[in-house]
Amino acid sequence: MAHVLLFPSVLGVRRGVTDLADALTGAGHDVTTVDPYDGQTFEDYPSGMARTKEIGEEALRARGLEAAKGVGAPFVAVGFSVGAAIAQWVAAQCPDTARVVVMVGGGIPMQHLDATWPPGVAGQVHVTAGDPFHEEDRQLDATIDERLQDDVERAGGEFTYVEYQGEGHMFTDPSLGEYQPEEARILTRRVVELADSVG
């Protein structure tokens, strides 16, 4: 049994997050969903981003770190979009208990987080081939994925990059138009198997 921390995107804790949580608990794992929006969800990215900016990066990180320290045991961190960056930062603050960081929708090089990838911790990026947000990130920095891989591997962790068909950003959320059911099923299976291997 592993403990899994889930960090939502700026859309909040929607079905894409809760469905994964249900699958993990159904497989016998403990799950903590970190909800900085206190139950509030958003129908579009601009609204969610505006609320995220109001909350502030410091508060987002503090909420995540509090959850991780409350676990007090080895954990897997799974972050969606902006939540992936929070998951990366939290894992960096908890090198003794973090085991894997899963970044859905892309991750970012650690220099942007003013942190260092924790020693020996694996990192997985899961994105669709046409994810518009990930494409935008790559237009700003063509080596963003390679630099993140370098961060992970320099720290002795295993890096995995998984690209799915389609162009959904939050492709695991059945309540969104960008939902991709088959890819969501595959991602869920992979995360459950990963938690199994840690637990």
Side-chain angles (χ1 to χ4, degrees):
M1 180 182 71
H3 200 109
V4 183
L5 298 176
L6 299 181
F7 299 86
S9 75
V10 297
L11 299 181
V13 182
R14 298 174 60 107
R15 282 278 307 277
V17 178
T18 58
D19 285 356
L20 179 58
D22 290 344
L24 286 161
T25 55
H29 301 290
D30 291 330
V31 177
T32 297
T33 301
V34 183
D35 183 7
Y37 308 102
D38 297 321
Q40 188 177 14
T41 58
F42 306 92
E43 297 301 318
D44 59 80
Y45 292 104
S47 298
M49 184 58 71
R51 178 61 183 139
T52 300
K53 288 182 178 178
E54 288 177 0
I55 295 171
E57 187 175 280
E58 185 175 342
L60 292 172
R61 289 179 173 183
R63 182 75 70 94
L65 186 57
E66 179 183 15
K69 289 186 173 180
V71 170
F75 65 84
V76 175
V78 182
F80 296 81
S81 191
V82 169
I86 302 301
Q88 291 177 242
W89 185 86
V90 167
Q93 311 311 307
C94 303
D96 294 332
T97 49
R99 293 295 178 269
V100 186
V101 181
V102 179
M103 297 154 276
V104 183
I108 60 175
M110 296 301 288
Q111 73 175 64
H112 296 305
L113 300 173
D114 294 322
T116 303
W117 192 269
V121 172
Q124 293 193 359
V125 172
H126 294 258
V127 295
T128 59
D131 182 329
F133 291 97
H134 192 235
E135 283 301 310
E136 183 178 329
D137 287 341
R138 284 197 285 211
Q139 288 176 9
L140 294 172
D141 179 358
T143 63
I144 187 171
D145 297 315
E146 290 78 9
R147 291 201 292 128
L148 175 58
Q149 178 176 357
D150 190 53
D151 287 337
V152 176
E153 293 181 345
R154 278 176 180 256
E158 179 182 358
F159 181 80
T160 305
Y161 185 91
V162 183
E163 187 174 86
Y164 302 83
Q165 296 182 348
E167 56 185 24
H169 185 53
M170 290 298 94
F171 63 90
T172 64
D173 191 333
S175 66
L176 295 173
E178 58 192 304
Y179 176 53
Q180 298 180 201
E182 179 61 17
E183 286 72 23
R185 183 190 66 79
I186 294 171
L187 173 67
T188 298
R189 173 177 56 80
R190 284 173 167 157
V191 173
V192 170
E193 290 175 351
L194 180 61
D196 289 343
S197 70
V198 171

